Amino acid sequence: MAIITLGTMAFDAIETPFGKIDKIVGGSATYVAYSASHLTQPIQQISIVGNDFPDEEMNELKKRNVQLTGVEIVADQKSFFWSGKYHLDMNSRDTLITDLNVLANFKPKVPEEYQGAEFLMLGNLMPGLQISVIEQLRTRPKLVVLDTMNFWMETALDDLKKVLGMVDVLMINDSEARQLSGEFSLVKSAKRILQMGPKFLVIKKGEHGALLFHEDHVFFAPALPLEDVFDPTGAGDSFAGGFIGHIAKTKDISFENMKTAIIVGSALASFCVEKFGPQRLKEITKQDIDTRLSEFVQLVNFDIDLV
Ligand code: AMP
């Protein structure tokens, strides 16, 4: 089943306690596409790059049936650039540089051949652009998933509130949920956020897993305890790609199936953090993913006799 993905295709500079890299391909849509394409194809990408974005990367994406008709190439400008630094506790990071470059004048256009896609993944990007893509679709997709971040809560809250009223699932991390709701308790945060529009809310807690809220129900998925987390960049986007990839593959948008989808998302995220950039997502096979999924099953599987 086709998934439309919107987001950045970028260059990143990353510093972690374990290494440093000055320029590597990244971007929210890049990670979503690599991750989701392991589960379903085609992926119909909407993004923008400058004249510096490598052809090899475009070809790697095409090989995975990521369609690039919706990716605008601006001949005389640079791609979006982001730089971040992680502390020893890899759950927190500082953004050092956000250079919008081509993104500053981005007006996403949905190509005609993308019309009719049943799933839409709005990756992290200006909320106004996320709204524009939803409004261009003549048939509303079966499921619209939104990823966002604190940066947009601080700079584009009105648009963000508007897009929240147009989507089915919101994905944010715990500190963003607290910021958006003004509540410290994640349960209270979830209640508030579910009143803002989305029917489902995923709160990501980094190495502590993720919570899925819907009406009065809540489900918890752990993150796999990994010996080494090398670079968490893109983990959230890989999670999103795994989540929507599983939903599109199974064509089932029930709460029960979303439980499985957040485990699949967690599995994809667990690969992403093993190397810099999207490298691991390019290397892994279906067998690798299946093995990791069984590790998740083992992690939370136990028997108890209640007398
Ligand atoms: P994640 O670690 O999942 O939050 O995603 C990291 C990726 O998001 C990096 O590859 C960045 O290029 C990209 N990114 C960082 N800041 C932004 C932003 N404000 N809007 C869109 N993409 C961003």
Side-chain angles (χ1 to χ4, degrees):
M1 269 300 126
I3 304 174
I4 298 179
T5 53
L6 169 74
T8 47
M9 292 173 77
F11 285 114
D12 294 340
I14 304 161
E15 191 177 337
T16 79
F18 310 107
K20 190 171 182 297
I21 193 157
D22 290 336
K23 195 176 184 187
I24 190 166
V25 163
S28 52
T30 310
Y31 283 104
V32 170
Y34 276 121
S35 175
S37 63
H38 282 290
L39 298 148
T40 193
Q41 294 180 358
I43 307 299
Q44 302 183 312
Q45 191 92 320
I46 303 179
S47 189
I48 188 165
V49 294
N51 56 10
D52 48 0
F53 203 79
D55 284 344
E56 307 86 76
E57 202 67 36
M58 298 290 202
N59 292 334
E60 284 287 324
L61 288 163
K62 280 188 211 153
K63 267 201 263 169
R64 293 162 172 83
N65 205 357
V66 179
Q67 298 174 3
L68 302 174
T69 332
V71 178
E72 189 183 334
I73 303 173
V74 184
D76 55 354
Q77 280 186 49
K78 287 203 252 172
S79 300
F80 175 71
F81 176 76
W82 174 81
S83 161
K85 181 176 175 174
Y86 294 84
H87 306 281
L88 249 190
D89 150 23
M90 296 273 237
N91 283 338
S92 67
R93 75 176 171 209
D94 296 329
T95 289
L96 304 177
I97 303 171
T98 302
D99 280 341
L100 293 181
N101 299 326
V102 284
L103 212 59
N105 297 310
F106 183 32
K107 293 193 179 58
K109 277 177 230 68
V110 177
E112 194 50 38
E113 66 258 41
Y114 290 13
Q115 292 287 349
E118 292 195 50
F119 300 92
L120 172 61
M121 178 68 232
L122 299 167
N124 185 20
L125 197 65
M126 288 93 148
L129 303 188
Q130 296 173 321
I131 293 170
S132 149
V133 167
I134 300 177
E135 286 178 342
Q136 287 176 59
L137 294 176
R138 288 195 293 273
T139 316
R140 192 191 189 276
K142 253 190 180 163
L143 194 78
V144 181
V145 181
L146 175 76
D147 187 6
T148 190
M149 72 187 298
N150 50 354
F151 186 75
W152 307 121
M153 293 173 196
E154 285 143 26
T155 59
L157 189 60
D158 287 347
D159 278 349
L160 180 58
K161 284 191 175 156
K162 182 171 173 199
V163 72
L164 280 175
M166 302 167 89
V167 305
D168 303 300
V169 184
L170 171 66
M171 284 182 181
I172 41 178
N173 69 31
D174 44 359
S175 66
E176 291 158 350
R178 291 185 170 118
Q179 186 169 343
L180 184 61
S181 65
E183 293 282 357
F184 187 78
S185 146
L186 291 181
V187 176
K188 285 186 182 155
S189 295
K191 276 196 182 141
R192 283 250 165 131
I193 295 169
L194 289 175
Q195 285 165 357
M196 298 179 185
K199 291 184 276 302
F200 300 88
L201 170 67
V202 179
I203 299 183
K204 299 168 287 179
K205 289 154 58 75
E207 63 172 327
H208 306 298
L211 293 161
L212 169 67
F213 293 91
H214 172 58
E215 295 171 347
D216 292 329
H217 310 288
V218 55
F219 175 72
F220 170 70
L224 202 65
L226 294 171
E227 211 159 299
D228 296 305
V229 174
F230 187 72
D231 167 23
T233 309
D237 310 311
S238 307
F239 178 95
F243 177 90
I244 193 132
H246 174 77
I247 302 272
K249 176 181 169 185
T250 52
K251 296 189 228 163
D252 174 354
I253 58 170
S254 67
F255 179 68
E256 281 308 307
N257 195 43
M258 281 191 199
K259 293 181 182 177
T260 314
I262 72 169
I263 301 280
V264 176
S266 303
L268 269 300
S270 75
F271 286 112
C272 173
V273 303
E274 290 176 341
K275 286 190 180 169
F276 270 135
Q279 188 53 35
R280 276 299 277 154
L281 295 177
K282 295 186 208 174
E283 295 168 356
I284 53 171
T285 60
K286 179 170 185 315
Q287 178 63 51
D288 294 325
I289 297 171
D290 288 349
T291 307
R292 196 145 288 189
L293 285 171
S294 22
E295 289 176 44
F296 271 90
V297 174
Q298 286 307 315
L299 186 66
V300 287
N301 198 8
F302 65 92
D303 286 323
I304 187 164
D305 282 329
L306 291 175
V307 280

